[in-house]
Amino acid sequence: MNAAAPTAFDCQMMAIALGMAERGLGLTAPNPSVGAVIANPETGELLARATTARGGRPHAETQAIAIAGAATRGATIYVTLEPCSHQGNTGPCAQSIIDAGFKRAVVAIEDPDPRVAGRGLDMLRAAGVEVVRGVGAETARWVTRGHIVRVTERRPLVTLKMALDGAGEVPRGDGAKPVFVTGANARAHGHLLRATNDAILVGGGTLRDDNPELTCRLPGLESRSPLRVVLSRDPVDCSATRMLASAAAAPILFVTSYNTARNAAPPGSAVDVATVPTVGGQLWLPAVMEALVARGITRLLVEGGPKTWRAFADASLVDEVVAYIAPSPSTGAATDIEAFAATQRRLGPLALALIDHRTLDPDTMWRFRRVPHKEGH
């Protein structure tokens, strides 16, 4: 028997589940952030909701089931990603759903992980649980994209963060601190981006020019500072950097070439080093991505600088661009066309679609996403 079409209530509950999944972004690596909601469609009662726990376990489904208790019998569970079907450090979530006596399971998308890949849904159907698939799928694919590309492409989701002055330029720091081109509101929004990623990456030039700290300094979110990654083919002296002073709170990874690895970190420091090959005199970015994936990274925020942005764009390793643009002294805030042109000038002919635009007084924020390439077009 085919499952019934989703109802308006199903869509509403899945929207809540997707919001729960978004809460966990940057916290659950190497596992995906999943949202789960348990509800009774007949009474309209929301019984439980949960997000994948910090570090990836316990999973959202088992947490929600524990909260709902006996009320799961005959209820519906809404999950943003197919429940797992394999035995890992914990039992399969699909079996937990079956044991809890659910009548229906509404799932946004299947899990591309070959250990799951439809098996979780098959388990539910075989046990008599009605499965409704595809509700909220478009949003779920984006929320879960870090996990998806980690499994299918062996890389994290990549977001480029750009901060440009009114002329579209990027002033260099003086070696002690960065030159801020945007105001406090835009910088606070950028710190929120840091909190939702597993790692932040800068090039060696940015480290030398700006001496950045690269932590999340929003009140209440200080503990969500991700791994800090420095990408540099050449030796970098990090002994006096602001990053090293906070290495105990937020780890540091230097990714460098084989020849300079021995000089990449001060002796006895809490700095990890990864070595990758060079191609054409530059660090090979696919190998950099592999090194990050091996460390469980699913979401990477590339903060700079311009050469690093362009290298990722040229290697087709960009999923999203977030551009903060200061107003021009002569013409004011950037327009759609100006923001797109400034981004393209930095990244080349990258196919981008505008997703969001907002004012962060006095600056503007523009969010673009990569337009997928279609075979045959």
Side-chain angles (χ1 to χ4, degrees):
M1 179 185 297
N2 293 329
T7 65
F9 183 79
D10 290 338
C11 295
Q12 182 184 8
M13 293 301 102
M14 183 59 76
I16 296 172
L18 288 164
M20 296 298 293
E22 289 176 341
R23 289 186 184 185
L25 294 178
L27 292 175
T28 65
N31 289 346
S33 180
V34 175
V37 167
I38 297 172
N40 186 330
E42 295 180 4
T43 64
E45 183 181 6
L46 192 157
L47 302 168
R49 57 183 179 174
T51 306
T52 305
R54 191 163 191 153
R57 296 184 182 86
H59 292 179
E61 300 95 317
T62 55
Q63 292 186 83
I65 289 169
I67 294 169
T72 58
R73 297 288 168 184
T76 297
I77 186 167
Y78 300 85
V79 190
T80 58
L81 180 67
E82 177 183 7
C84 62
S85 57
H86 60 284
Q87 178 71 45
N89 291 346
T90 57
C93 288
Q95 189 61 53
S96 297
I97 292 172
I98 294 167
D99 294 342
F102 284 98
K103 178 181 178 180
R104 299 169 71 236
V106 180
V107 179
I109 58 174
E110 291 184 6
D111 190 341
D113 189 325
R115 297 173 298 176
V116 187
R119 294 182 183 90
L121 300 183
D122 288 342
M123 281 180 64
L124 297 178
R125 295 187 186 101
V129 179
E130 179 187 347
V131 174
V132 179
R133 185 170 57 89
V135 180
E138 182 177 356
T139 302
R141 276 190 288 270
W142 181 256
V143 172
T144 317
R145 183 163 174 77
H147 168 69
I148 293 171
V149 296
R150 180 173 181 253
V151 170
T152 60
E153 301 180 30
R154 295 295 296 172
R155 68 173 182 87
L157 174 144
V158 175
T159 298
L160 298 190
K161 174 194 165 191
M162 309 170 68
L164 307 175
D165 66 17
E169 300 299 325
V170 185
R172 296 178 62 174
D174 60 6
K177 60 183 179 181
V179 175
F180 292 119
V181 298
T182 55
N185 290 330
R187 294 200 299 275
H189 192 275
H191 280 249
L192 186 60
L193 271 184
R194 291 177 177 178
T196 60
N197 281 272
D198 306 328
I200 307 170
L201 183 147
V202 297
T206 296
L207 182 66
R208 287 185 286 267
D209 292 345
D210 294 350
N211 191 18
E213 191 170 351
L214 299 181
T215 54
C216 177
R217 297 187 292 279
L218 291 179
L221 294 179
E222 294 90 347
S223 66
R224 294 185 62 164
S225 294
L227 172 70
R228 295 168 294 175
V229 181
V230 177
L231 191 66
S232 182
R233 177 196 60 187
D234 302 315
V236 177
D237 180 10
C238 71
S239 59
T241 61
R242 296 168 65 200
M243 284 203 311
L244 192 62
S246 58
I252 300 170
L253 172 67
F254 273 84
V255 182
T256 187
S257 64
Y258 299 119
N259 294 333
T260 60
R262 62 184 180 275
N263 301 316
S269 69
V271 177
D272 192 11
V273 179
T275 56
V276 297
T278 57
V279 175
Q282 302 299 320
L283 297 179
W284 193 39
L285 287 181
V288 174
M289 298 294 95
E290 181 67 34
L292 295 179
V293 163
R295 287 165 171 77
I297 301 303
T298 67
R299 295 172 58 85
L300 175 66
L301 181 65
V302 177
E303 291 210 3
K307 289 183 179 179
T308 303
W309 298 336
R310 187 58 184 259
F312 272 82
D314 288 346
S316 296
L317 290 172
V318 177
D319 297 283
E320 182 178 52
V321 178
V322 178
Y324 302 95
I325 303 180
S328 166
S330 58
T331 60
T335 64
D336 287 9
I337 294 176
E338 290 167 340
F340 185 78
T343 303
Q344 292 276 290
R345 186 159 65 90
R346 291 292 174 184
L347 303 181
L350 195 65
L352 299 171
L354 179 62
I355 298 299
D356 189 19
H357 163 226
R358 64 183 67 180
T359 299
L360 299 171
D361 191 41
D363 311 302
T364 51
M365 185 279 288
W366 307 81
R367 187 186 296 267
F368 302 93
R369 286 186 187 158
R370 179 80 177 271
V371 177
H373 173 74
K374 294 183 179 180
E375 297 295 335
H377 288 263

